[in-house]
């Protein structure tokens, strides 16, 4: 079932089936990371401006943080000619079914420049024994994996952003194919082109969000289902991608350095922020959340 409006909601989070938090992290090396084309507003003015050495250091610090937190980090080599492949939240959506079956839905990237990234991720998951699911040809439009489709922490419930990179028809198909509820949110501001740039689900009842990124229906859905919504100041969200933070365990929040107000609000809510520098990746419109993919 796909939900578009708050008055359609016929369930609560507590009554949706449980799903464990993933413990494995995939990262793609930044050896070929660069800004060579502009497909989101953050990339404007940054073509040719990436400091590769610095990018590598920032990427390693993120990898080390996941390892220190006890996660099992898998690393896949980036490929030449695919400067955005490092953003490995986008090429797939991993899932775990109630019968224990693990799989990934393969994305259909919006930008032609990114389409060749998907087979590399597909091969990785195939080698891990995952079932691969492709979106059927009769389902129109694009889909950018965990850039737009986010699992509600601890539950088999999907939040799906659409408007820039993903088309709503894909969510109808996903809801049927995976047998889960999908709540769709219309993204209306190009700075927040992926759902993971304006919504960060921290635990089953708490999320960071940017109100200006959604329409009235979207805000109503968020308010109805998430009891503790932490508003992120627009400057921190736009310039530092504060909502591209990641809370892998319900407690630690990995977030771009300098999101002062967001960090204060996270602490007040009982979370432990870990500040990381992702300046080189911000030039491409990405930060912590999109530099990794959680899988089961
Ligand atoms: N340059 C990349 C793009 O525009 C950045 C992707 C960031 N990923 C994300 N999940 N927000 O496609």
């Amino acid at each position: 079932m796909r939900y578009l409006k708050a008055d359609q909601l016929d369930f609560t989070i507590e009554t949706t089936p449980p799903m464990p938090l993933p413990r494995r992290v995939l990262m793609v090396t930044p050896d070929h990371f660069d800004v060579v084309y502009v497909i989101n507003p953050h990339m404007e003015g940054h073509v040719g401006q990436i400091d590769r050495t610095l990018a590598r250091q920032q990427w390693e610090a993120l990898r080390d943080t996941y390892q220190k937190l006890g996660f099992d980090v898998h690393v896949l080599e980036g490929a030449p000619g695919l400067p955005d492949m490092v953003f490995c939240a986008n090429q797939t959506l991993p899932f775990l079914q109630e019968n224990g079956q693990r799989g990934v839905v393969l994305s259909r990237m919006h930008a032609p420049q990114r389409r060749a990234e998907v087979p590399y991720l597909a091969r990785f998951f195939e080698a891990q024994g995952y079932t691969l699911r492709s979106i059927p040809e009769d389902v129109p439009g694009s889909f950018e994996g965990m850039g737009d489709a986010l699992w509600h922490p601890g539950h088999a419930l999907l939040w799906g952003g659409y408007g820039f990179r993903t088309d709503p028809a894909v969510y109808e198909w996903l809801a049927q194919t995976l047998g889960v509820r999908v709540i769709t949110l219309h993204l209306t501001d190009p700075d927040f082109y992926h759902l993971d740039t304006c919504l960060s689900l921290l635990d089953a009842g708490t999320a960071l969000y940017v109100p200006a990124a959604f329409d009235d229906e979207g805000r109503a859905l968020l308010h109805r289902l998430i009891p503790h919504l932490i508003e992120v100041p627009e400057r921190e969200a736009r310039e530092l991608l504060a909502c591209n933070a990641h809370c892998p365990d319900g407690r630690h929040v990995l977030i771009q350095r300098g999101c002062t107000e967001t960090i204060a609000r996270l602490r007040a809510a009982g979370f432990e922020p870990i500040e990381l520098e992702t300046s080189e990746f911000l030039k491409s419109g990405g930060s912590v959340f999109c530099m990794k993919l959680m899988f089961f």
Side-chain angles (χ1 to χ4, degrees), residues 45-125:
H46 290 133
V47 171
Q49 299 297 305
I50 300 299
D51 180 335
R52 287 265 185 88
T53 311
L54 191 55
R56 179 80 207 188
Q57 288 165 6
Q58 295 174 350
W59 182 91
E60 285 176 1
L62 179 62
R63 180 201 56 197
D64 295 351
T65 304
Y66 283 115
Q67 279 167 345
K68 277 188 212 127
L69 290 172
F71 289 90
D72 182 11
V73 182
H74 295 242
V75 173
L76 184 65
E77 291 277 305
L82 297 174
D84 274 333
M85 188 175 157
V86 70
F87 298 112
C88 63
N90 303 157
Q91 303 90 349
T92 65
L93 167 69
F95 59 85
L96 173 66
Q97 303 214 276
E98 261 176 312
N99 62 10
Q101 203 193 19
R102 297 178 303 171
V104 285
V105 175
L106 302 178
S107 298
R108 196 187 270 158
M109 304 304 287
H110 184 260
Q113 295 97 322
R114 294 199 62 185
R115 292 193 188 137
E117 298 170 18
V118 180
Y120 288 94
L121 281 289
R123 280 195 287 276
F124 169 81
F125 280 109

Side-chain angles (χ1 to χ4, degrees), residues 39-40 43 84 87 90 114 147 165 193-194 196 284-285 290:
I39 55 171
N40 72 57
M43 298 170 94
D84 274 333
F87 298 112
N90 303 157
R114 294 199 62 185
R165 301 295 186 89
Y193 61 97
H194 269 151
D196 74 0
S284 187
C290 35

Side-chain angles (χ1 to χ4, degrees), residues 33-35 37 39-40 43 84 87-90 109 111 114 144 146-148 165 193-197 241 244 281 283-287 289-291:
F33 168 57
D34 206 347
V35 176
Y37 47 75
I39 55 171
N40 72 57
M43 298 170 94
D84 274 333
F87 298 112
C88 63
N90 303 157
M109 304 304 287
R114 294 199 62 185
E144 294 207 349
M146 291 207 75
D148 273 325
R165 301 295 186 89
Y193 61 97
H194 269 151
L195 185 58
D196 74 0
T197 62
L241 290 183
N244 206 245
F281 301 94
K283 294 175 185 168
S284 187
S287 183
F289 192 91
C290 35
M291 293 167 68

Side-chain angles (χ1 to χ4, degrees), residues 181-193:
R181 295 184 171 109
V182 183
I183 304 156
T184 58
L185 302 170
H186 189 199
L187 305 178
T188 55
D189 182 324
D191 271 354
F192 304 112
Y193 61 97

